[in-house]
PDB file of all heavy atoms in Angstrom:
ATOM      1  N   ASN A   1      88.836 -96.876-101.872  1.00  0.00           N
ATOM      2  CA  ASN A   1      88.106 -96.666-103.149  1.00  0.00           C
ATOM      3  C   ASN A   1      87.984 -95.212-103.366  1.00  0.00           C
ATOM      4  O   ASN A   1      87.437 -94.687-104.404  1.00  0.00           O
ATOM      5  CB  ASN A   1      86.731 -97.378-103.067  1.00  0.00           C
ATOM      6  CG  ASN A   1      86.742 -98.823-103.188  1.00  0.00           C
ATOM      7  OD1 ASN A   1      87.567 -99.355-103.994  1.00  0.00           O
ATOM      8  ND2 ASN A   1      85.820 -99.421-102.634  1.00  0.00           N
ATOM      9  N   ALA A   2      88.672 -94.450-102.467  1.00  0.00           N
ATOM     10  CA  ALA A   2      88.640 -92.912-102.637  1.00  0.00           C
ATOM     11  C   ALA A   2      89.738 -92.530-103.581  1.00  0.00           C
ATOM     12  O   ALA A   2      90.749 -92.010-103.289  1.00  0.00           O
ATOM     13  CB  ALA A   2      88.792 -92.302-101.296  1.00  0.00           C
ATOM     14  N   ALA A   3      89.594 -92.762-104.954  1.00  0.00           N
ATOM     15  CA  ALA A   3      90.508 -92.470-105.874  1.00  0.00           C
ATOM     16  C   ALA A   3      89.818 -92.115-107.139  1.00  0.00           C
ATOM     17  O   ALA A   3      88.758 -92.803-107.511  1.00  0.00           O
ATOM     18  CB  ALA A   3      91.606 -93.607-106.081  1.00  0.00           C
ATOM     19  N   VAL A   4      90.249 -91.183-107.960  1.00  0.00           N
ATOM     20  CA  VAL A   4      89.714 -90.834-109.194  1.00  0.00           C
ATOM     21  C   VAL A   4      89.895 -91.982-110.101  1.00  0.00           C
ATOM     22  O   VAL A   4      91.102 -92.308-110.431  1.00  0.00           O
ATOM     23  CB  VAL A   4      90.200 -89.428-109.779  1.00  0.00           C
ATOM     24  CG1 VAL A   4      89.637 -89.194-111.046  1.00  0.00           C
ATOM     25  CG2 VAL A   4      90.022 -88.396-108.706  1.00  0.00           C
ATOM     26  N   GLY A   5      88.969 -92.501-110.652  1.00  0.00           N
ATOM     27  CA  GLY A   5      89.114 -93.700-111.576  1.00  0.00           C
ATOM     28  C   GLY A   5      88.782 -95.041-110.952  1.00  0.00           C
ATOM     29  O   GLY A   5      88.856 -96.090-111.678  1.00  0.00           O
ATOM     30  N   ALA A   6      88.618 -95.027-109.625  1.00  0.00           N
ATOM     31  CA  ALA A   6      88.353 -96.272-108.912  1.00  0.00           C
ATOM     32  C   ALA A   6      86.876 -96.563-108.943  1.00  0.00           C
ATOM     33  O   ALA A   6      86.099 -95.758-108.322  1.00  0.00           O
ATOM     34  CB  ALA A   6      88.936 -96.321-107.599  1.00  0.00           C
ATOM     35  N   ASP A   7      86.430 -97.739-109.483  1.00  0.00           N
ATOM     36  CA  ASP A   7      85.051 -97.956-109.527  1.00  0.00           C
ATOM     37  C   ASP A   7      84.647 -98.915-108.374  1.00  0.00           C
ATOM     38  O   ASP A   7      83.481 -99.204-108.147  1.00  0.00           O
ATOM     39  CB  ASP A   7      84.559 -98.489-110.878  1.00  0.00           C
ATOM     40  CG  ASP A   7      85.441 -99.757-111.360  1.00  0.00           C
ATOM     41  OD1 ASP A   7      86.102-100.251-110.522  1.00  0.00           O
ATOM     42  OD2 ASP A   7      85.350-100.016-112.496  1.00  0.00           O
ATOM     43  N   GLY A   8      85.594 -99.536-107.829  1.00  0.00           N
ATOM     44  CA  GLY A   8      85.216-100.534-106.738  1.00  0.00           C
ATOM     45  C   GLY A   8      85.001-101.939-107.354  1.00  0.00           C
ATOM     46  O   GLY A   8      84.923-102.959-106.470  1.00  0.00           O
ATOM     47  N   PHE A   9      84.871-102.091-108.587  1.00  0.00           N
ATOM     48  CA  PHE A   9      84.668-103.312-109.227  1.00  0.00           C
ATOM     49  C   PHE A   9      86.019-103.944-109.812  1.00  0.00           C
ATOM     50  O   PHE A   9      86.454-105.024-109.316  1.00  0.00           O
ATOM     51  CB  PHE A   9      83.570-103.251-110.318  1.00  0.00           C
ATOM     52  CG  PHE A   9      82.339-102.788-109.872  1.00  0.00           C
ATOM     53  CD1 PHE A   9      81.566-101.964-110.556  1.00  0.00           C
ATOM     54  CD2 PHE A   9      81.788-103.289-108.586  1.00  0.00           C
ATOM     55  CE1 PHE A   9      80.370-101.444-110.144  1.00  0.00           C
ATOM     56  CE2 PHE A   9      80.557-102.851-108.131  1.00  0.00           C
ATOM     57  CZ  PHE A   9      79.880-101.913-108.901  1.00  0.00           C
ATOM     58  N   ASN A  10      86.513-103.277-110.594  1.00  0.00           N
ATOM     59  CA  ASN A  10      87.854-103.689-111.371  1.00  0.00           C
ATOM     60  C   ASN A  10      89.006-102.835-110.898  1.00  0.00           C
ATOM     61  O   ASN A  10      90.164-103.381-110.962  1.00  0.00           O
ATOM     62  CB  ASN A  10      87.744-103.647-112.800  1.00  0.00           C
ATOM     63  CG  ASN A  10      86.454-104.375-113.436  1.00  0.00           C
ATOM     64  OD1 ASN A  10      86.381-105.588-113.148  1.00  0.00           O
ATOM     65  ND2 ASN A  10      85.589-103.596-114.155  1.00  0.00           N
ATOM     66  N   PHE A  11      88.699-101.627-110.423  1.00  0.00           N
ATOM     67  CA  PHE A  11      89.841-100.758-110.064  1.00  0.00           C
ATOM     68  C   PHE A  11      89.630-100.162-108.676  1.00  0.00           C
ATOM     69  O   PHE A  11      88.387 -99.829-108.427  1.00  0.00           O
ATOM     70  CB  PHE A  11      90.053 -99.691-111.034  1.00  0.00           C
ATOM     71  CG  PHE A  11      90.376-100.124-112.471  1.00  0.00           C
ATOM     72  CD1 PHE A  11      89.493-100.192-113.382  1.00  0.00           C
ATOM     73  CD2 PHE A  11      91.733-100.550-112.732  1.00  0.00           C
ATOM     74  CE1 PHE A  11      89.765-100.729-114.668  1.00  0.00           C
ATOM     75  CE2 PHE A  11      92.071-101.004-113.939  1.00  0.00           C
ATOM     76  CZ  PHE A  11      91.048-101.033-114.975  1.00  0.00           C
ATOM     77  N   GLY A  12      90.602-100.304-107.839  1.00  0.00           N
ATOM     78  CA  GLY A  12      90.403 -99.630-106.413  1.00  0.00           C
ATOM     79  C   GLY A  12      91.614 -98.617-106.387  1.00  0.00           C
ATOM     80  O   GLY A  12      92.184 -98.218-107.333  1.00  0.00           O
ATOM     81  N   GLY A  13      91.711 -98.087-105.230  1.00  0.00           N
ATOM     82  CA  GLY A  13      92.728 -97.105-104.855  1.00  0.00           C
ATOM     83  C   GLY A  13      93.725 -97.588-103.943  1.00  0.00           C
ATOM     84  O   GLY A  13      93.478 -98.406-103.037  1.00  0.00           O
ATOM     85  N   TYR A  14      94.944 -97.004-104.100  1.00  0.00           N
ATOM     86  CA  TYR A  14      96.031 -97.356-103.067  1.00  0.00           C
ATOM     87  C   TYR A  14      96.648 -95.966-102.534  1.00  0.00           C
ATOM     88  O   TYR A  14      97.121 -95.262-103.542  1.00  0.00           O
ATOM     89  CB  TYR A  14      97.064 -98.213-103.746  1.00  0.00           C
ATOM     90  CG  TYR A  14      98.162 -98.458-102.760  1.00  0.00           C
ATOM     91  CD1 TYR A  14      98.145 -99.492-101.829  1.00  0.00           C
ATOM     92  CD2 TYR A  14      99.438 -97.857-102.964  1.00  0.00           C
ATOM     93  CE1 TYR A  14      99.067 -99.715-100.919  1.00  0.00           C
ATOM     94  CE2 TYR A  14     100.448 -98.160-102.103  1.00  0.00           C
ATOM     95  CZ  TYR A  14     100.277 -99.048-101.102  1.00  0.00           C
ATOM     96  OH  TYR A  14     101.355 -99.372-100.178  1.00  0.00           O
ATOM     97  N   THR A  15      96.385 -95.659-101.388  1.00  0.00           N
ATOM     98  CA  THR A  15      96.892 -94.376-100.760  1.00  0.00           C
ATOM     99  C   THR A  15      98.176 -94.783 -99.904  1.00  0.00           C
ATOM    100  O   THR A  15      98.191 -95.679 -99.122  1.00  0.00           O
ATOM    101  CB  THR A  15      95.913 -93.586-100.107  1.00  0.00           C
ATOM    102  OG1 THR A  15      96.412 -92.434 -99.637  1.00  0.00           O
ATOM    103  CG2 THR A  15      95.215 -94.409 -98.900  1.00  0.00           C
ATOM    104  N   PHE A  16      99.121 -93.782 -99.957  1.00  0.00           N
ATOM    105  CA  PHE A  16     100.290 -94.038 -99.226  1.00  0.00           C
ATOM    106  C   PHE A  16     101.049 -92.656 -99.168  1.00  0.00           C
ATOM    107  O   PHE A  16     100.745 -91.642 -99.693  1.00  0.00           O
ATOM    108  CB  PHE A  16     101.328 -94.987-100.010  1.00  0.00           C
ATOM    109  CG  PHE A  16     101.797 -94.441-101.351  1.00  0.00           C
ATOM    110  CD1 PHE A  16     103.101 -93.949-101.335  1.00  0.00           C
ATOM    111  CD2 PHE A  16     101.136 -94.504-102.459  1.00  0.00           C
ATOM    112  CE1 PHE A  16     103.570 -93.511-102.621  1.00  0.00           C
ATOM    113  CE2 PHE A  16     101.480 -94.062-103.661  1.00  0.00           C
ATOM    114  CZ  PHE A  16     102.751 -93.608-103.665  1.00  0.00           C
ATOM    115  N   SER A  17     101.968 -92.645 -98.138  1.00  0.00           N
ATOM    116  CA  SER A  17     102.618 -91.397 -97.802  1.00  0.00           C
ATOM    117  C   SER A  17     103.918 -91.425 -98.651  1.00  0.00           C
ATOM    118  O   SER A  17     104.839 -92.301 -98.520  1.00  0.00           O
ATOM    119  CB  SER A  17     103.078 -91.337 -96.289  1.00  0.00           C
ATOM    120  OG  SER A  17     103.894 -90.290 -95.963  1.00  0.00           O
ATOM    121  N   ALA A  18     104.161 -90.473 -99.556  1.00  0.00           N
ATOM    122  CA  ALA A  18     105.187 -90.600-100.608  1.00  0.00           C
ATOM    123  C   ALA A  18     106.219 -89.418-100.257  1.00  0.00           C
ATOM    124  O   ALA A  18     105.841 -88.249 -99.984  1.00  0.00           O
ATOM    125  CB  ALA A  18     104.552 -90.267-101.937  1.00  0.00           C
ATOM    126  N   SER A  19     107.374 -89.780-100.416  1.00  0.00           N
ATOM    127  CA  SER A  19     108.481 -88.856-100.107  1.00  0.00           C
ATOM    128  C   SER A  19     108.731 -87.985-101.279  1.00  0.00           C
ATOM    129  O   SER A  19     108.717 -88.347-102.461  1.00  0.00           O
ATOM    130  CB  SER A  19     109.831 -89.741 -99.811  1.00  0.00           C
ATOM    131  OG  SER A  19     110.854 -88.825 -99.711  1.00  0.00           O
ATOM    132  N   THR A  20     108.737 -86.708-101.047  1.00  0.00           N
ATOM    133  CA  THR A  20     109.006 -85.599-102.046  1.00  0.00           C
ATOM    134  C   THR A  20     110.100 -84.654-101.600  1.00  0.00           C
ATOM    135  O   THR A  20     109.853 -83.547-101.251  1.00  0.00           O
ATOM    136  CB  THR A  20     107.712 -84.771-102.283  1.00  0.00           C
ATOM    137  OG1 THR A  20     107.293 -84.304-101.119  1.00  0.00           O
ATOM    138  CG2 THR A  20     106.698 -85.766-102.845  1.00  0.00           C
ATOM    139  N   PRO A  21     111.430 -85.137-101.603  1.00  0.00           N
ATOM    140  CA  PRO A  21     112.453 -84.344-101.174  1.00  0.00           C
ATOM    141  C   PRO A  21     112.656 -83.061-102.114  1.00  0.00           C
ATOM    142  O   PRO A  21     112.556 -83.248-103.366  1.00  0.00           O
ATOM    143  CB  PRO A  21     113.711 -85.337-101.139  1.00  0.00           C
ATOM    144  CG  PRO A  21     113.297 -86.244-102.186  1.00  0.00           C
ATOM    145  CD  PRO A  21     111.754 -86.485-102.063  1.00  0.00           C
ATOM    146  N   VAL A  22     113.064 -82.027-101.488  1.00  0.00           N
ATOM    147  CA  VAL A  22     113.437 -80.764-102.115  1.00  0.00           C
ATOM    148  C   VAL A  22     114.715 -80.125-101.590  1.00  0.00           C
ATOM    149  O   VAL A  22     114.906 -80.149-100.403  1.00  0.00           O
ATOM    150  CB  VAL A  22     112.282 -79.819-102.104  1.00  0.00           C
ATOM    151  CG1 VAL A  22     112.664 -78.476-102.781  1.00  0.00           C
ATOM    152  CG2 VAL A  22     110.977 -80.317-102.665  1.00  0.00           C
ATOM    153  N   THR A  23     115.576 -79.778-102.571  1.00  0.00           N
ATOM    154  CA  THR A  23     116.735 -78.909-102.110  1.00  0.00           C
ATOM    155  C   THR A  23     116.944 -77.623-102.962  1.00  0.00           C
ATOM    156  O   THR A  23     116.908 -77.720-104.088  1.00  0.00           O
ATOM    157  CB  THR A  23     118.061 -79.828-102.287  1.00  0.00           C
ATOM    158  OG1 THR A  23     118.018 -81.108-101.550  1.00  0.00           O
ATOM    159  CG2 THR A  23     119.307 -79.068-101.890  1.00  0.00           C
ATOM    160  N   LEU A  24     116.867 -76.601-102.205  1.00  0.00           N
ATOM    161  CA  LEU A  24     116.975 -75.257-102.835  1.00  0.00           C
ATOM    162  C   LEU A  24     118.221 -74.513-102.505  1.00  0.00           C
ATOM    163  O   LEU A  24     118.467 -74.320-101.185  1.00  0.00           O
ATOM    164  CB  LEU A  24     115.740 -74.436-102.373  1.00  0.00           C
ATOM    165  CG  LEU A  24     114.313 -75.010-102.598  1.00  0.00           C
ATOM    166  CD1 LEU A  24     113.356 -74.115-102.115  1.00  0.00           C
ATOM    167  CD2 LEU A  24     114.130 -75.445-104.090  1.00  0.00           C
ATOM    168  N   ASN A  25     119.020 -74.281-103.463  1.00  0.00           N
ATOM    169  CA  ASN A  25     120.326 -73.543-103.270  1.00  0.00           C
ATOM    170  C   ASN A  25     120.228 -72.160-103.735  1.00  0.00           C
ATOM    171  O   ASN A  25     119.779 -71.956-105.041  1.00  0.00           O
ATOM    172  CB  ASN A  25     121.478 -74.278-103.766  1.00  0.00           C
ATOM    173  CG  ASN A  25     121.832 -75.550-103.031  1.00  0.00           C
ATOM    174  OD1 ASN A  25     122.172 -75.520-101.957  1.00  0.00           O
ATOM    175  ND2 ASN A  25     121.767 -76.687-103.750  1.00  0.00           N
ATOM    176  N   THR A  26     120.519 -71.067-103.021  1.00  0.00           N
ATOM    177  CA  THR A  26     120.439 -69.725-103.551  1.00  0.00           C
ATOM    178  C   THR A  26     121.694 -68.949-103.334  1.00  0.00           C
ATOM    179  O   THR A  26     122.211 -69.023-102.131  1.00  0.00           O
ATOM    180  CB  THR A  26     119.274 -68.956-102.955  1.00  0.00           C
ATOM    181  OG1 THR A  26     118.100 -69.675-102.899  1.00  0.00           O
ATOM    182  CG2 THR A  26     119.137 -67.586-103.483  1.00  0.00           C
ATOM    183  N   TYR A  27     122.258 -68.401-104.338  1.00  0.00           N
ATOM    184  CA  TYR A  27     123.473 -67.637-104.364  1.00  0.00           C
ATOM    185  C   TYR A  27     123.280 -66.189-104.854  1.00  0.00           C
ATOM    186  O   TYR A  27     122.747 -65.942-105.956  1.00  0.00           O
ATOM    187  CB  TYR A  27     124.663 -68.253-105.105  1.00  0.00           C
ATOM    188  CG  TYR A  27     124.752 -69.827-104.742  1.00  0.00           C
ATOM    189  CD1 TYR A  27     124.122 -70.588-105.557  1.00  0.00           C
ATOM    190  CD2 TYR A  27     125.797 -70.089-103.831  1.00  0.00           C
ATOM    191  CE1 TYR A  27     124.265 -72.094-105.185  1.00  0.00           C
ATOM    192  CE2 TYR A  27     125.888 -71.602-103.533  1.00  0.00           C
ATOM    193  CZ  TYR A  27     125.166 -72.482-104.242  1.00  0.00           C
ATOM    194  OH  TYR A  27     125.319 -73.764-103.948  1.00  0.00           O
ATOM    195  N   ILE A  28     123.637 -65.209-104.116  1.00  0.00           N
ATOM    196  CA  ILE A  28     123.215 -63.713-104.428  1.00  0.00           C
ATOM    197  C   ILE A  28     124.535 -62.919-104.159  1.00  0.00           C
ATOM    198  O   ILE A  28     125.253 -63.100-103.011  1.00  0.00           O
ATOM    199  CB  ILE A  28     122.127 -63.157-103.615  1.00  0.00           C
ATOM    200  CG1 ILE A  28     120.842 -63.944-103.910  1.00  0.00           C
ATOM    201  CG2 ILE A  28     121.896 -61.694-103.946  1.00  0.00           C
ATOM    202  CD1 ILE A  28     119.632 -63.580-102.980  1.00  0.00           C
ATOM    203  N   ALA A  29     125.034 -62.216-105.081  1.00  0.00           N
ATOM    204  CA  ALA A  29     126.218 -61.293-104.810  1.00  0.00           C
ATOM    205  C   ALA A  29     125.893 -59.950-105.330  1.00  0.00           C
ATOM    206  O   ALA A  29     125.307 -59.760-106.625  1.00  0.00           O
ATOM    207  CB  ALA A  29     127.372 -61.938-105.559  1.00  0.00           C
ATOM    208  N   LYS A  30     126.296 -58.912-104.871  1.00  0.00           N
ATOM    209  CA  LYS A  30     126.023 -57.522-105.357  1.00  0.00           C
ATOM    210  C   LYS A  30     127.311 -56.670-105.092  1.00  0.00           C
ATOM    211  O   LYS A  30     127.973 -56.768-104.001  1.00  0.00           O
ATOM    212  CB  LYS A  30     124.804 -56.916-104.629  1.00  0.00           C
ATOM    213  CG  LYS A  30     124.442 -55.519-105.154  1.00  0.00           C
ATOM    214  CD  LYS A  30     123.292 -55.052-104.294  1.00  0.00           C
ATOM    215  CE  LYS A  30     122.776 -53.655-104.809  1.00  0.00           C
ATOM    216  NZ  LYS A  30     121.752 -53.075-103.937  1.00  0.00           N
ATOM    217  N   VAL A  31     127.554 -55.827-106.071  1.00  0.00           N
ATOM    218  CA  VAL A  31     128.728 -54.850-105.826  1.00  0.00           C
ATOM    219  C   VAL A  31     128.196 -53.494-106.231  1.00  0.00           C
ATOM    220  O   VAL A  31     127.494 -53.272-107.199  1.00  0.00           O
ATOM    221  CB  VAL A  31     129.907 -55.131-106.938  1.00  0.00           C
ATOM    222  CG1 VAL A  31     131.000 -54.125-106.887  1.00  0.00           C
ATOM    223  CG2 VAL A  31     130.479 -56.517-106.649  1.00  0.00           C
ATOM    224  N   ASP A  32     128.499 -52.491-105.257  1.00  0.00           N
ATOM    225  CA  ASP A  32     128.003 -51.111-105.481  1.00  0.00           C
ATOM    226  C   ASP A  32     129.336 -50.197-105.595  1.00  0.00           C
ATOM    227  O   ASP A  32     130.226 -50.454-104.912  1.00  0.00           O
ATOM    228  CB  ASP A  32     127.261 -50.638-104.354  1.00  0.00           C
ATOM    229  CG  ASP A  32     125.982 -51.411-104.130  1.00  0.00           C
ATOM    230  OD1 ASP A  32     126.008 -52.495-103.601  1.00  0.00           O
ATOM    231  OD2 ASP A  32     124.928 -50.974-104.531  1.00  0.00           O
ATOM    232  N   TYR A  33     129.140 -49.166-106.430  1.00  0.00           N
ATOM    233  CA  TYR A  33     130.292 -48.183-106.679  1.00  0.00           C
ATOM    234  C   TYR A  33     129.734 -46.903-106.697  1.00  0.00           C
ATOM    235  O   TYR A  33     128.819 -46.357-107.543  1.00  0.00           O
ATOM    236  CB  TYR A  33     130.992 -48.361-107.978  1.00  0.00           C
ATOM    237  CG  TYR A  33     132.163 -47.536-108.202  1.00  0.00           C
ATOM    238  CD1 TYR A  33     133.283 -47.429-107.319  1.00  0.00           C
ATOM    239  CD2 TYR A  33     132.166 -46.727-109.298  1.00  0.00           C
ATOM    240  CE1 TYR A  33     134.281 -46.629-107.603  1.00  0.00           C
ATOM    241  CE2 TYR A  33     133.242 -45.881-109.642  1.00  0.00           C
ATOM    242  CZ  TYR A  33     134.244 -45.813-108.694  1.00  0.00           C
ATOM    243  OH  TYR A  33     135.396 -45.042-108.896  1.00  0.00           O
ATOM    244  N   ASN A  34     130.112 -45.908-105.800  1.00  0.00           N
ATOM    245  CA  ASN A  34     129.853 -44.514-105.770  1.00  0.00           C
ATOM    246  C   ASN A  34     130.772 -43.679-106.651  1.00  0.00           C
ATOM    247  O   ASN A  34     131.962 -43.537-106.245  1.00  0.00           O
ATOM    248  CB  ASN A  34     129.868 -43.943-104.250  1.00  0.00           C
ATOM    249  CG  ASN A  34     128.825 -44.600-103.389  1.00  0.00           C
ATOM    250  OD1 ASN A  34     127.797 -44.908-103.942  1.00  0.00           O
ATOM    251  ND2 ASN A  34     129.215 -44.711-102.092  1.00  0.00           N
ATOM    252  N   ILE A  35     130.343 -43.235-107.728  1.00  0.00           N
ATOM    253  CA  ILE A  35     131.167 -42.429-108.628  1.00  0.00           C
ATOM    254  C   ILE A  35     131.233 -41.107-107.961  1.00  0.00           C
ATOM    255  O   ILE A  35     132.428 -40.589-107.784  1.00  0.00           O
ATOM    256  CB  ILE A  35     130.493 -42.376-110.120  1.00  0.00           C
ATOM    257  CG1 ILE A  35     130.453 -43.792-110.677  1.00  0.00           C
ATOM    258  CG2 ILE A  35     131.356 -41.556-110.984  1.00  0.00           C
ATOM    259  CD1 ILE A  35     129.717 -43.893-111.957  1.00  0.00           C
ATOM    260  N   ASN A  36     130.243 -40.488-107.830  1.00  0.00           N
ATOM    261  CA  ASN A  36     130.157 -39.208-106.992  1.00  0.00           C
ATOM    262  C   ASN A  36     128.693 -39.048-106.494  1.00  0.00           C
ATOM    263  O   ASN A  36     127.912 -39.917-106.500  1.00  0.00           O
ATOM    264  CB  ASN A  36     130.644 -38.045-107.827  1.00  0.00           C
ATOM    265  CG  ASN A  36     129.753 -37.903-109.219  1.00  0.00           C
ATOM    266  OD1 ASN A  36     128.563 -38.083-109.070  1.00  0.00           O
ATOM    267  ND2 ASN A  36     130.466 -37.762-110.301  1.00  0.00           N
ATOM    268  N   GLY A  37     128.592 -37.754-106.036  1.00  0.00           N
ATOM    269  CA  GLY A  37     127.125 -37.575-105.434  1.00  0.00           C
ATOM    270  C   GLY A  37     126.032 -37.765-106.311  1.00  0.00           C
ATOM    271  O   GLY A  37     124.906 -38.108-105.668  1.00  0.00           O
TER     272      GLY A  37
END
C-alpha cells in the first residue's frame, strides 16, 4: 500500500524491480595546427 494514490480500499500498490537499460556512445575528434609561434 506504499504507493502515491493507493488508499488500501479500492487501489493498492504494486512494487517491482524494473529494467532501465542505458547505452551511451561518445565520439570525440580534434585537429590542431601550428601556423607559427
